[in-house]
Amino acid sequence: MKQAKLILDRDYQIGTIDPRIYGSFIEHLGRAVYTGIYEPGHPTADGEGFRGDVIDLVKTLNVPVVRYPGGNFVSGFDWRDSIGPKETRPRRMDLAWKTTEPNTVGLHEFCAWAKKADSSVMYAVNLGTGTPVSARDVVEYANHPGGTELSDLRRKNGSADPLGIKLFCLGNEMDGPWQMGAKTANEYARCAHEAAKLMKWTDPTIELVACGSSSLWMPTFGDWERTVLDECYDNVDYLSLHRYYGNPHNDTPDFLASTMDLDDFIKTVACIVRGAKGKKHSHHTVNLSLDEWNVWYHSGGQDQEIYKNNPWGTALHLLEDIYNFEDALLVGLMLITILKNADTVKIACMAQLVNVIAPIMTREGGGAWAQTIFYPLMQASKWGRGVSLAPIVSCEKSDTAHYTDVPMVDAAAVEREDGTIAVFAVNRDLSEDVVLSCDLRAFGDVTLVGHSVLHHDDMKATNTENCPNNVIPVDITPVMEDGCVRLPAASWNVLLLKPNK
Ligand code: AHR
């Protein structure tokens, strides 16, 4: 049997995990909002029209923060359209997704939904077609206690207390030509800087995320980050990164190796940020917000058939990727990578949360169920809070079509507040189990008190409304002999270790 070794030590620490790395994202896109989180008349809907079955699943994921309302959508969105009596809110063409936005769910409704889901809002302002002034206005509307036109308007609209939004994104993917009001690095840098100033002068307690380049493959990557940080380093708190992976050529080993790229990407951006800090002689620390990440390739993006049948419709079936077991393995590997970069990545949002490239699916008038990718996120969110430990893994390595020296086993480890150590480990080998020997140094003797395994013999297995438990984690009898644990071929594992003293 194949062998691997994991060394952990109490003193080898990467950093404290910010719970917001288990964040998510809801955009006014497809059926994320309408027939996703919101469906008045659904048997589980509450008085405000929010689906109870969806809220229950979101609560199971324990999502501390949800990015909203976009995404590409936000670059053409006027937040004022989304407040006031519902019947007077305008219906607008959304040029990002070629649909009609009814604005039935707006700012107040989404904040109320987030509260019900035990989460908080990460609100993206429009810096595409919007302005620094419209960005500061929403901060005043949402957070100022009262006594000004905008804060009193909020009170009139039903919220005497401030909405209390503490985290804002300064636009979305602003270097992307697909973005309404896309900008050059200099244009965005100036706009973001002025917006940041006004927003923080309005409410100094908020935190701001500046847009990094929309992707590693953009020609703007690198220079964009440097230009933006040169301008607004001291006024922002995070720089964003977005990353999606797919398996379009059905090359599973290569697909499962993609987190080598993610790790490299995160570390490269962290170095750029560090360089900007040095250049500025700044004492301020800017961290990373990986505010869109996931597997995304099953759906055809903007599927022309859908539009042909329903031009400018609402709640179209857009980007409804059906995830399989190997996607769940990659999501597990992405979470491992995020945990191993917990010193710089303080916010991460799986994109997205419901129906649109999402862990949760719904049927209009019907059920809600968890896709395969739901489970690694659920388990990492549950067990992966505390201090991220630096795992030293030695194992066999192999090459794939795009990557060299891909380790057979990848792992992250967390020392939790209750003293237990959670190890998240993926065995990338598709055919052989591996025996993982655990050397826990200063932790001393430990007992394996839990072992959960996510595995399916069919890499393409999925969950459906009628068969929602086809791919789910299973608690197996924890067996540790001479410090060794067996990780099944092609599996995501959660090991819970308890120090004996
Ligand atoms: O998450 C789907 C889309 O992907 C978002 O709207 C955009 O920001 C990204 O390109």
Side-chain angles (χ1 to χ4, degrees):
M1 192 167 310
K2 293 196 170 176
Q3 312 282 326
K5 183 171 181 179
L6 169 69
I7 301 174
L8 297 173
D9 197 300
R10 184 167 265 141
D11 295 324
Y12 300 171
Q13 300 187 348
I14 295 171
T16 301
I17 295 161
D18 189 318
R20 294 175 300 174
I21 65 167
Y22 303 116
S24 195
F25 177 26
I26 288 186
E27 179 167 2
H28 280 256
L29 191 186
R31 297 193 308 117
V33 174
Y34 306 110
T35 74
I37 61 167
Y38 178 79
E39 191 181 327
H42 186 273
T44 70
D46 63 15
E48 291 174 288
F50 293 120
R51 284 183 64 147
D53 53 355
V54 174
I55 287 179
D56 288 346
L57 283 166
V58 175
K59 279 185 175 169
T60 310
L61 281 178
N62 196 357
V63 179
V65 70
V66 182
R67 187 167 173 253
Y68 174 87
N72 297 343
F73 169 81
V74 82
S75 294
F77 172 65
D78 183 347
W79 67 269
R80 285 180 162 85
D81 290 347
S82 78
I83 56 169
K86 286 190 183 188
E87 52 295 352
T88 61
R89 293 185 197 168
R91 292 173 63 77
R92 299 263 187 222
M93 288 169 83
D94 165 29
L95 304 184
W97 301 106
K98 313 284 181 284
T99 53
T100 298
E101 172 55 50
N103 283 304
T104 320
V105 170
L107 181 55
H108 287 258
E109 291 80 20
F110 191 74
C111 288
W113 177 83
K115 212 173 192 176
K116 290 177 189 207
D118 296 339
S119 192
S120 64
V121 178
M122 175 183 192
Y123 194 78
V125 297
N126 175 0
L127 290 189
T129 58
T131 62
V133 172
S134 69
R136 74 149 296 282
D137 283 354
V138 74
V139 176
E140 180 180 333
Y141 180 89
N143 290 355
H144 196 62
T148 63
E149 183 186 281
L150 285 169
S151 54
D152 288 345
L153 182 59
R154 181 201 67 238
R155 298 170 73 97
K156 186 173 151 225
N157 286 337
S159 193
D161 290 334
L163 298 172
I165 302 175
K166 292 295 165 197
L167 184 58
F168 289 84
C169 302
L170 297 166
N172 175 68
E173 296 189 346
M174 292 308 316
D175 61 342
W178 57 88
Q179 211 67 223
M180 288 170 270
K183 295 192 166 27
T184 65
N186 280 311
E187 286 167 349
Y188 174 70
R190 287 293 306 133
C191 180
H193 181 71
E194 290 306 316
K197 259 170 44 187
L198 302 190
M199 291 165 82
K200 285 203 170 173
W201 286 346
T202 304
D203 180 353
T205 69
I206 60 173
E207 289 191 305
L208 299 176
V209 184
C211 287
S213 177
S214 52
S215 180
L216 185 55
W217 46 260
M218 290 294 286
T220 31
F221 178 72
D223 277 345
W224 174 277
E225 278 75 3
R226 270 188 292 274
T227 308
V228 170
L229 292 174
D230 257 357
E231 187 70 32
C232 51
Y233 187 89
D234 285 310
N235 264 330
V236 301
D237 305 284
Y238 307 92
L239 185 72
S240 75
L241 307 78
H242 291 178
R243 206 75 185 109
Y244 295 98
Y245 296 100
N247 186 12
H249 306 298
N250 196 19
D251 180 346
T252 301
D254 197 49
F255 174 58
L256 295 182
S258 335
T259 43
M260 308 273 287
D261 172 83
L262 179 64
D263 190 57
D264 200 43
F265 179 38
I266 292 171
K267 289 187 164 63
T268 302
V269 178
C271 286
I272 295 173
V273 173
R274 195 66 193 218
K277 179 178 185 175
K279 193 174 160 195
K280 293 242 166 210
H281 308 286
S282 177
H283 295 293
H284 175 61
T285 296
V286 170
N287 284 306
L288 305 186
S289 172
L290 179 61
D291 45 41
E292 288 187 32
W293 70 269
N294 203 350
V295 172
W296 177 13
Y297 75 106
H298 297 286
S299 64
Q302 299 198 26
D303 185 335
Q304 292 315 311
E305 278 306 302
I306 296 177
Y307 291 107
K308 233 188 268 163
N309 298 335
N310 201 345
W312 298 102
T314 298
L316 302 186
H317 288 254
L318 299 176
L319 276 55
E320 297 199 3
D321 281 41
I322 305 301
Y323 290 110
N324 59 34
F325 167 60
E326 68 184 11
D327 298 331
L329 284 185
L330 190 75
V331 161
L333 285 159
M334 291 181 88
L335 287 160
I336 285 171
T337 308
I338 293 167
L339 282 166
K340 287 200 291 185
N341 286 281
D343 51 339
T344 56
V345 179
K346 298 295 175 186
I347 301 167
C349 304
M350 179 189 262
Q352 297 190 7
L353 186 55
V354 185
N355 287 331
V356 173
I357 45 174
I360 298 169
M361 294 301 290
T362 69
R363 185 165 59 82
E364 189 177 355
W369 64 100
Q371 296 223 61
T372 61
I373 61 169
F374 181 95
Y375 293 103
L377 180 62
M378 177 193 85
Q379 292 189 314
S381 177
K382 176 168 182 187
W383 299 108
R385 295 176 189 232
V387 173
S388 179
L389 300 171
I392 299 174
V393 177
S394 18
C395 63
E396 196 180 294
K397 293 180 175 172
S398 56
D399 296 345
T400 67
H402 293 95
Y403 304 98
T404 47
D405 287 338
V406 183
M408 182 176 58
V409 171
D410 203 352
V414 175
E415 185 178 11
R416 293 162 41 78
E417 240 177 48
D418 66 6
T420 50
I421 304 148
V423 175
F424 305 99
V426 168
N427 178 7
R428 284 190 173 104
D429 195 298
L430 300 183
S431 49
E432 284 194 49
D433 294 2
V434 60
V435 170
L436 180 71
S437 78
C438 303
D439 175 348
L440 271 78
R441 304 279 162 116
F443 286 110
D445 285 342
V446 293
T447 304
L448 181 68
V449 293
H451 186 175
S452 168
V453 177
L454 182 69
H455 169 80
H456 202 287
D457 288 340
D458 177 4
M459 299 300 285
K460 310 296 180 192
T462 59
N463 292 340
T464 60
E465 184 180 3
N466 289 331
C467 195
N469 297 329
N470 188 28
V471 184
I472 53 168
V474 175
D475 285 334
I476 62 169
T477 310
V479 178
M480 190 176 215
E481 279 168 4
D482 299 329
C484 292
V485 186
R486 192 176 174 134
L487 309 179
S491 63
W492 153 265
N493 301 263
V494 183
L495 309 174
L496 295 176
L497 299 151
K498 201 170 179 170
N500 291 341
K501 53 176 170 46

